[in-house]
Amino acid sequence: QVQLVESGGGLVQAGGSLRLSCAASGRTFSRYAMGWFRQAPGKEREFVATISWTSAGTDYGDSVKGRFTISRDNAKNTVYLQMNSLRPEDTAVYYCAAVAHYGVTTPASYDYWGQGTLVTVSS
């Protein structure tokens, strides 16, 4: 089992920045690729970013490329999502998740999930 706890969400104005954190505990964190997803009211869960075990590989959803950056610190069992140039359409609950293999962008393929943190971007 891997337990994941997100933090860092909140209210920010359009154009602002936030950094989300996801703290992991349980089975060896460094053996998992990690992902961030988001879900806005009435919408499906959307892929945001993923990062490989060693941080050598990263991938982003088209809507966040060039604005968001995923990173991880295996010594701290934590994955981050730096969000810049935020837009009102970025408003959603953001979830981190763990999966055995890098390169997965479908939510159903992830094994472990956090409870989510709400990000609200005002116009």
Side-chain angles (χ1 to χ4, degrees), residues 54-72:
T54 63
S55 303
T58 58
D59 192 19
Y60 297 90
D62 289 341
S63 61
V64 307
K65 280 181 181 176
R67 301 188 297 123
F68 290 11
T69 303
I70 189 171
S71 62
R72 67 190 293 165

Side-chain angles (χ1 to χ4, degrees), residues 16-78:
S17 298
L18 279 177
R19 188 175 82 154
L20 305 183
S21 299
C22 174
S25 60
R27 301 185 72 176
T28 307
F29 170 74
S30 62
R31 294 181 181 178
Y32 288 88
M34 298 297 295
W36 284 97
F37 292 81
R38 66 187 183 185
Q39 189 165 19
K43 295 189 177 182
E44 294 186 352
R45 195 163 293 191
E46 175 190 15
F47 167 71
V48 174
T50 185
I51 188 167
S52 65
W53 307 343
T54 63
S55 303
T58 58
D59 192 19
Y60 297 90
D62 289 341
S63 61
V64 307
K65 280 181 181 176
R67 301 188 297 123
F68 290 11
T69 303
I70 189 171
S71 62
R72 67 190 293 165
D73 185 338
N74 288 341
K76 295 182 178 180
N77 284 0
T78 302

Side-chain angles (χ1 to χ4, degrees), residues 6 29 47 56 62 67 70 74 79 82 85 93 96 111-112:
E6 301 95 335
F29 170 74
F47 167 71
D62 289 341
R67 301 188 297 123
I70 189 171
N74 288 341
V79 62
Q82 178 66 44
S85 302
V93 176
C96 72
D111 302 306
Y112 303 102

